Amino acid sequence: MHRCPLVLVLAGLVWLNVSAGAESPRLSGFIDLTYNRNLSAGESATTNLYHSFDAQTNTFLLNAAHLNASGASGDDLSYTIEVDLGSDAAVTNAGGLGTGDEIDLQEAYLVWRRPSSALGIKAGKFASYHGIEVIESGGNPTITRGFLFNLAEAYTHAGIMATWQFSPAVDLHAGLINGWDLFADNNQRPTGVLKLGYSGGDRLALTLSGYLGSEKPGETGDARLSLDATGLTKSVPGLDLWFQANYGREPAAAPDGRDAAWIGFGLQPLYHFSNAFSLGARYEYFDDADGARTGRSQLLQTFSVAPAFSLTQNLVARIEARLDLSEEKVFSDSDGKPTGHQLQAATELICSF
């Protein structure tokens, strides 16, 4: 997203907040700072292979200065605008426009629904329905994002969705988008999206979602199918247990031109020992049997442990130890020799407001 329009967006949010009085939008946000180090490759390392927002290693990062404005216009129309500045935005923005600018209009969408109706419309740019993890680091059990987030899911998409709220516990979304991480369609053929949600309180929350459409520039065939089931249970006091299963396939997507498929699953527990201390963890399994998502046939696994400390009401510190494994020697050790593992340490400060 170009810098000037986003500056105007930010200026507009400030103006609305000052001028609109009781009808002003609700403003919130956070600042996210990290330092991460590749312990396997040492000082020679420049990247953490197959990582997303922490791909740059042995460096301090201003991951995000994030601003959110949301509100309503009358009883039937609401809006959300989220803007990111920092290294996270360079990742999500590059996915959409290829500029790599460290500023991004992450989400901007309208939701219309009459209070007495189950039918609604959602239009604009919004986050993917797939997966446990989100772009905002503080919403995840660990600092880094797993292989499923980076290799098997879109970050965001732009389009329009029809929504039905069948009951307080069940909703359905169906619509069309421009494709994975695109502002404008790259092949004039929209991707179809379907999402079914269930919210049963602490016992179970479940999202089933699917995407079907061509994601190759200039081509309308070879439709990519991506299916995902993501759930959360809080049946055990103090424990948030997230789980995910993901399957994808795409014709002619393998490096040698063959049809390709991939599959993965993950578990992410987050245990709250107290209001000031919690412990997050992650295990993921990602089988890229045909090499469509990583460039070579391999099975990846990752393990993470991440304690979190609430220093004040609005300031959280976290640390993470992460081990990535591959059945192939795709990583590098400190001597530059190929190896099947990658060990990383990360630290993080998040200040919310």
Side-chain angles (χ1 to χ4, degrees), residues 50-54 92 106-107 126-156 207 209 211 228-232 241-246 265-270 280-285 302-306 318 320 322 324 344:
Y50 306 133
H51 288 211
S52 50
F53 297 145
D54 62 315
T92 56
Q106 179 182 310
E107 295 189 89
F126 41 93
S128 169
Y129 292 121
H130 276 5
I132 297 170
E133 295 172 334
V134 295
I135 295 173
E136 299 86 354
S137 179
N140 300 320
T142 61
I143 300 171
T144 65
R145 315 307 193 281
F147 294 132
L148 291 175
F149 181 88
N150 189 37
L151 300 173
E153 306 168 16
Y155 300 138
T156 62
T207 296
S209 55
Y211 294 77
D228 188 273
T230 294
L232 168 66
L241 180 60
W242 292 90
F243 55 91
Q244 178 184 5
N246 183 280
F265 64 84
L267 288 174
Q268 296 197 37
L270 177 63
R282 174 180 57 229
Y283 168 73
E284 277 189 356
Y285 169 106
T302 184
F303 305 82
S304 285
V305 178
R318 299 197 291 183
E320 179 181 349
R322 170 171 173 166
D324 298 333
Q344 177 194 9

Side-chain angles (χ1 to χ4, degrees), residues 94-352:
L97 295 178
T99 64
D101 285 347
E102 294 184 343
I103 186 168
D104 185 36
L105 182 59
Q106 179 182 310
E107 295 189 89
Y109 60 87
L110 301 173
V111 176
W112 174 86
R113 192 177 76 178
R114 292 191 180 279
S116 59
S117 174
L119 176 65
I121 300 293
K122 181 178 183 179
K125 184 188 179 193
F126 41 93
S128 169
Y129 292 121
H130 276 5
I132 297 170
E133 295 172 334
V134 295
I135 295 173
E136 299 86 354
S137 179
N140 300 320
T142 61
I143 300 171
T144 65
R145 315 307 193 281
F147 294 132
L148 291 175
F149 181 88
N150 189 37
L151 300 173
E153 306 168 16
Y155 300 138
T156 62
H157 35 60
I160 186 166
M161 306 291 294
T163 67
W164 293 267
Q165 191 72 43
F166 292 108
S167 72
V170 179
D171 65 272
L172 177 69
H173 295 196
L176 299 172
I177 62 169
N178 285 334
W180 290 33
D181 302 311
L182 295 173
F183 272 104
D185 205 332
N186 60 5
N187 54 27
Q188 288 72 56
R189 181 66 62 88
T191 292
V193 183
L194 190 66
K195 174 250 183 184
L196 178 65
Y198 170 76
S199 179
D202 287 346
R203 289 190 59 186
L204 179 66
L206 182 64
T207 296
L208 306 176
S209 55
Y211 294 77
L212 179 63
S214 177
E215 302 300 332
K216 297 175 181 177
E219 296 187 21
T220 57
D222 296 341
R224 180 187 300 170
L225 172 67
S226 182
L227 302 174
D228 188 273
T230 294
L232 168 66
T233 179
K234 299 182 180 182
S235 298
V236 177
L239 177 65
D240 302 344
L241 180 60
W242 292 90
F243 55 91
Q244 178 184 5
N246 183 280
Y247 168 79
R249 64 169 174 79
E250 187 172 6
D256 61 2
R258 292 181 296 111
D259 295 348
W262 54 92
I263 190 169
F265 64 84
L267 288 174
Q268 296 197 37
L270 177 63
Y271 190 80
H272 304 271
F273 290 90
S274 67
N275 291 334
F277 176 62
S278 63
L279 181 66
R282 174 180 57 229
Y283 168 73
E284 277 189 356
Y285 169 106
F286 184 68
D287 186 2
D288 188 20
D290 300 301
R293 307 309 295 167
T294 63
R296 64 184 299 169
S297 174
Q298 62 179 312
L299 170 63
L300 292 167
Q301 298 181 79
T302 184
F303 305 82
S304 285
V305 178
F309 310 88
S310 296
L311 304 179
T312 69
Q313 183 177 357
N314 297 316
L315 182 63
V316 174
R318 299 197 291 183
I319 58 176
E320 179 181 349
R322 170 171 173 166
L323 175 64
D324 298 333
L325 300 174
S326 173
E327 62 181 0
E328 303 292 334
K329 293 184 177 181
V330 296
F331 305 114
S332 299
D333 65 15
S334 57
D335 295 323
K337 297 179 180 179
T339 181
H341 71 274
Q342 177 175 251
L343 182 62
Q344 177 194 9
T347 61
E348 181 177 44
L349 279 176
I350 302 176
C351 178
S352 58

